[in-house]
Amino acid sequence: MNPNFYAVILAGGVGSRFWPASTQAHPKQFHDILGTGSTLIQQTYQRIAHICPPENILISTSEEYIDEVKQQLPDIPENNIMAEPARRNTAPAIAYAVYKIYAKNPNASVLICPSDHLILKESEFHRIATLGLTLSQTNNVLFTLGIKPTRPDTGYGYIQYLPGPSLHPETRKVKTFTEKPNLELAKMFLESGDFLWNAGIFIWSVQSCRRAFEMYLPEIHQTFERGLPLFNTDQEKAYIQKVYPSCENQSVDYGIMEKADNVHVIPADFGWSDLGTWGSLYEHLKWDEHGNAKVGTHILSFDSRSNIIRIEGDKVAVIDGLENYIIVDTPHALLICRRENEQLIKNFVNEVKIRAGERFV
């Protein structure tokens, strides 16, 4: 493996659209959502370990999940687990990781990916990621991975690219980004043939990333640039505790990718899903003869179709006469929601927090 190849797994999110299975105390990346025997973050780590040396894999997560990360990924060196003392979106989290890597290896290229995505064609993912890491070693570019869309999905961001190859036969220059369009616009994007889903997976050299932060997010750049002499020392934690909470709350997509003029995309088809909703999970589970996806020990369904049913623990559940529903039962909460209304789950979570208390979310 190339010693200049690094990876950062972003594992600080709450995954509120997967409530009530995913909660702030135990979010979805730490769950075996698919019933494979491995949690999502474990699957992500195992996938990346084929691309980068294990000592070059870093985890960015919230302070409250440090023990969970250590338990689920015991092979990760403690210095490679970065604790965010406050939630400040992806730009500060990525800056912290990239500048920490730069302090150790200024020739590094970095793959940055979420901890809770599904990738079915892992060998193709390895190939695409290695291509991006290799190209970023010698080019001042910011790569993002784009997924060839299969439907006019309104829950994803879209990337429009210019015709013809850019740096390589498989790469394209990015023209525009569009966040979660309405259905009519999403249909137009699909028909045009030059739009991709934004997977939120980035590849760039630490040199290119530092230039981008300096140009587009200068305050974040200055914060972590000042910390370079302290990173990977026993003074790192105290410095991060001091400066991180005052960082701008900003996504790297809006803060850099939508503004930079050196963004390129690698169109890919490696069986990707962001597993952002119960509906997206439904597509990847086994169905019974009536289209019900069941995760649980004793689930009996009668006159019921096209439901996703998840029952935790050694509990029997009887479902009768429901069609196109999400039914999720946990020790602390029960959700029964029409599948078409799954985008409202975040609203339900807010209402639960207000009416019943934060311990349920």
Side-chain angles (χ1 to χ4, degrees), residues 19-45:
W19 184 86
S22 180
T23 63
Q24 183 162 324
H26 191 58
K28 69 171 180 172
Q29 59 267 31
F30 301 118
H31 288 262
D32 179 10
I33 289 285
L34 294 161
T36 63
S38 297
T39 65
L40 293 177
I41 193 172
Q42 288 171 333
Q43 291 184 44
T44 304
Y45 173 78

Side-chain angles (χ1 to χ4, degrees), residues 9 21 65 95 105 121 124 151-152 251 258-259 279 315:
I9 300 174
Y65 306 140
N105 182 354
K121 303 175 186 176
E124 178 64 4
R151 61 187 182 276
S251 74
E258 294 184 16
K259 298 174 182 176
K315 182 186 297 184

Side-chain angles (χ1 to χ4, degrees), residues 55-350:
E55 64 271 18
N56 288 4
I57 301 175
L58 286 73
I59 311 294
S60 173
T61 192
S62 175
E63 278 185 335
E64 61 191 299
Y65 306 140
I66 293 295
D67 289 342
E68 188 83 53
V69 170
K70 289 179 180 178
Q71 179 183 343
Q72 294 205 9
L73 301 176
D75 295 336
I76 290 280
E78 188 162 348
N79 184 52
N80 285 21
I81 303 174
M82 299 173 298
E84 304 165 29
R87 285 189 168 87
R88 290 295 179 267
N89 216 315
T90 54
I94 289 172
Y96 176 18
V98 166
Y99 286 62
K100 178 180 171 69
I101 293 169
Y102 176 81
K104 183 179 180 181
N105 182 354
N107 297 314
S109 289
V110 186
L111 165 68
I112 299 168
C113 59
S115 59
D116 54 1
H117 287 186
L118 173 67
I119 290 175
L120 296 174
K121 303 175 186 176
E122 296 209 345
S123 60
E124 178 64 4
F125 174 79
H126 299 155
R127 188 187 72 81
I128 292 291
T130 301
L131 171 64
L133 287 164
T134 302
L135 290 172
S136 67
Q137 286 273 284
T138 54
N139 295 278
N140 177 28
V141 294
L142 304 175
F143 281 120
T144 184
L145 302 191
I147 308 301
K148 296 172 183 176
T150 57
R151 61 187 182 276
D153 199 302
T154 59
Y156 293 148
Y158 285 73
I159 303 167
Q160 184 183 24
Y161 59 86
L162 296 170
S166 54
L167 301 169
H168 180 274
E170 291 192 63
T171 67
R172 300 290 184 271
K173 185 80 164 56
V174 170
K175 183 178 180 181
T176 61
F177 288 88
T178 303
E179 273 300 312
K180 297 181 180 178
N182 60 37
L183 183 58
E184 184 177 350
L185 200 55
K187 288 179 178 178
M188 290 174 58
F189 289 171
L190 193 66
E191 292 169 2
S192 74
D194 58 355
F195 281 82
L196 303 164
W197 287 334
N198 187 354
I201 302 173
F202 311 108
I203 302 172
W204 41 42
S205 72
V206 291
Q207 300 279 8
S208 296
C209 186
R210 284 178 65 239
R211 292 190 196 105
F213 271 96
E214 184 175 15
M215 181 173 294
Y216 301 108
L217 293 172
E219 291 184 4
I220 292 178
H221 163 74
Q222 290 165 13
T223 295
F224 292 99
E225 187 79 6
R226 286 194 301 269
L228 285 176
L230 308 177
F231 292 145
N232 307 305
T233 75
D234 56 7
Q235 300 175 68
E236 175 182 331
K237 183 176 180 179
Y239 181 75
I240 292 299
Q241 288 280 348
K242 178 182 177 182
V243 303
Y244 201 95
S246 62
C247 283
E248 179 183 356
N249 190 333
Q250 184 63 271
S251 74
V252 78
D253 295 83
Y254 180 77
I256 291 179
M257 302 301 281
E258 294 184 16
K259 298 174 182 176
D261 60 3
N262 61 334
V263 178
H264 296 244
V265 64
I266 307 178
D269 180 11
F270 40 67
W272 171 89
S273 171
D274 73 342
L275 291 181
T277 64
W278 288 110
S280 62
L281 175 62
Y282 174 84
E283 299 297 327
H284 299 285
L285 295 174
K286 291 182 179 179
W287 305 341
D288 67 13
E289 64 273 24
H290 300 296
N292 297 302
K294 302 174 182 177
V295 181
T297 309
H298 309 290
I299 300 174
L300 308 177
S301 59
F302 303 92
D303 191 26
S304 296
R305 293 170 178 78
S306 304
N307 301 297
I308 178 167
I309 308 164
R310 180 185 175 94
I311 308 296
E312 293 188 12
D314 187 21
K315 182 186 297 184
V316 65
V318 177
I319 310 298
D320 175 60
L322 292 183
E323 184 172 351
N324 288 314
Y325 270 83
I326 300 165
I327 303 126
V328 183
D329 184 53
T330 73
H332 65 275
L334 169 66
L335 171 70
I336 302 172
C337 169
R338 290 187 181 276
R339 285 177 53 196
E340 65 201 55
N341 292 337
E342 66 177 1
Q343 296 296 335
L344 298 176
I345 291 178
K346 273 193 171 184
N347 299 342
F348 300 156
V349 170
N350 289 334

